[in-house]
Amino acid sequence: MTAKDNKGNNSSGIFYVMYVLSMLLFGTNGYLVSHISLQSSQIVLVRTLIGGILLSAMVLLQNDFTFSRIKPELRNLLAGGIALGLNWVALFAAYRMLNVSLATLIYYAGPMLVLLFSPWLFREALTKRKLTAIIIVAVGLLCITGSIAAGKLSMAGLVTAVGSALFYAALIVFNKRIKNTGGLQTAAIELDVAFVVVLLYVLFTSGFSYPLATDIPYLLTIGLLNTGLAYFLYFSSMQRLPAQSVALISYIDPVSALLFSAWLLNENMTLLQIAGAVFIIGGAILGELGD
């Protein structure tokens, strides 16, 4: 192996570390939200404000932004930002109405929906492997929601979590159509658009509330680290890694959310729900492996 090969492997290793770190940061969102007294939409508002300012500043410092470059993709960038804002509002609300573990797992049904409708959205063949993966994930969701009859899950929480999955699927679709705008610029624009969307949502629903002094550290953490830094690591590394690696490593997020919620929040899951978690994660990985 040459010195050049060693350098390339070391560089690739750095991007793997960056990507894994971003997934671990995303996995702690539920823990942070559980310690903030503000309503879910207000937390998302602060998150998009802080993260958007940070990433927009980074884009401006690069001195490489031109409107003419993003204009052909502006419609998808705006739609992606709208989906991102509504996605977070629904997910953070589901955190409170269900629990972090279940909300995160249902949320990750979003990519499966994209697979299901990919023949119509992207003219991609729905292979036997992908169809099998969708069925496995559906079984997992049935296992998780099976306890509704016993009154152990909130129906409103379930609907909200499913809504977050739908918005997540829409976010994937719109971003898949963005070809020429760089990752950092895409993240900055979509976070800024998401802020405007959530601002309007808050104005017409809950209104503004002042955070408690105890909320400030968690708000700063979720804005600066879990949004600004995490999205910078996410988009910077995913462009340098193989697509299959990106897909597989992304499931560190729901797995870490499960572990963090069990460890830090003492959330318990029934055996049926644990089985559902295994089906969802296993099916999602199977769907991303390719044929």
Side-chain angles (χ1 to χ4, degrees):
M1 182 179 292
T2 65
K4 183 177 180 180
D5 292 331
N6 282 324
K7 184 177 179 180
N9 289 336
N10 291 336
S11 178
S12 178
I14 291 172
F15 292 120
Y16 275 106
V17 171
M18 290 171 64
Y19 193 76
V20 169
L21 181 57
S22 71
M23 292 299 106
L24 292 174
L25 286 170
F26 291 150
T28 63
N29 283 337
Y31 168 75
L32 295 171
V33 169
S34 69
H35 287 79
I36 300 174
S37 64
L38 297 177
Q39 294 189 26
S40 302
S41 57
Q42 296 168 346
I43 297 173
V44 176
L45 181 66
V46 175
R47 180 183 189 183
T48 53
L49 173 63
I50 296 175
I53 289 175
L54 179 61
L55 292 182
S56 297
M58 292 173 67
V59 169
L60 294 175
L61 287 173
Q62 285 185 338
N63 199 28
D64 188 37
F65 177 80
T66 57
F67 180 76
S68 59
R69 183 183 302 170
I70 69 167
K71 186 176 180 180
E73 300 179 321
L74 187 59
R75 182 178 299 179
N76 287 315
L77 287 166
L78 293 176
I82 293 171
L84 178 63
L86 296 178
N87 156 30
W88 280 346
V89 169
L91 178 61
F92 282 27
Y95 283 157
R96 296 192 186 280
M97 288 188 280
L98 292 176
N99 61 42
V100 174
S101 306
L102 301 185
T104 303
L105 288 168
I106 295 172
Y107 173 68
Y108 265 85
M112 293 296 102
L113 295 174
V114 176
L115 284 177
L116 182 61
F117 291 102
S118 59
W120 297 275
L121 293 170
F122 308 115
R123 299 187 183 278
E124 295 178 354
L126 186 60
T127 64
K128 290 182 179 179
R129 182 189 294 273
K130 290 181 179 179
L131 184 58
T132 301
I134 292 170
I135 294 172
I136 292 174
V137 170
V139 171
L141 289 174
L142 288 174
C143 289
I144 286 177
T145 58
S147 56
I148 291 179
K152 294 180 180 178
L153 282 183
S154 161
M155 179 61 77
L158 176 66
V159 171
T160 304
V162 170
S164 72
L166 291 174
F167 286 123
Y168 183 20
L171 178 65
I172 294 173
V173 171
F174 291 125
N175 278 280
K176 191 174 176 65
R177 294 173 177 170
I178 298 171
K179 306 294 184 182
N180 300 315
T181 306
L184 181 59
Q185 293 184 1
T186 297
I189 293 169
E190 291 190 358
L191 274 175
D192 291 338
V193 173
F195 168 74
V196 175
V197 171
V198 179
L199 176 62
L200 294 174
Y201 178 85
V202 169
L203 284 174
F204 287 102
T205 55
S206 62
F208 297 104
S209 299
Y210 290 103
L212 301 176
T214 54
D215 294 335
I216 301 301
Y218 295 101
L219 286 171
L220 290 176
T221 301
I222 205 169
L224 293 173
L225 297 183
N226 289 47
T227 304
L229 176 60
Y231 269 79
F232 169 71
L233 294 172
Y234 176 74
F235 283 102
S236 298
S237 58
M238 72 180 296
Q239 294 176 336
R240 304 294 186 94
L241 297 174
Q244 189 176 89
S245 297
V246 168
L248 290 174
I249 296 172
S250 69
Y251 289 96
I252 288 178
D253 181 357
V255 173
S256 64
L258 283 172
L259 296 176
F260 285 134
S261 60
W263 174 38
L264 300 172
L265 300 177
N266 296 317
E267 291 186 356
N268 296 318
M269 298 180 69
T270 66
L271 290 176
L272 189 61
Q273 291 168 350
I274 292 172
V278 172
F279 277 121
I280 289 176
I281 296 171
I285 292 176
L286 177 64
E288 299 288 0
L289 284 175
D291 295 274

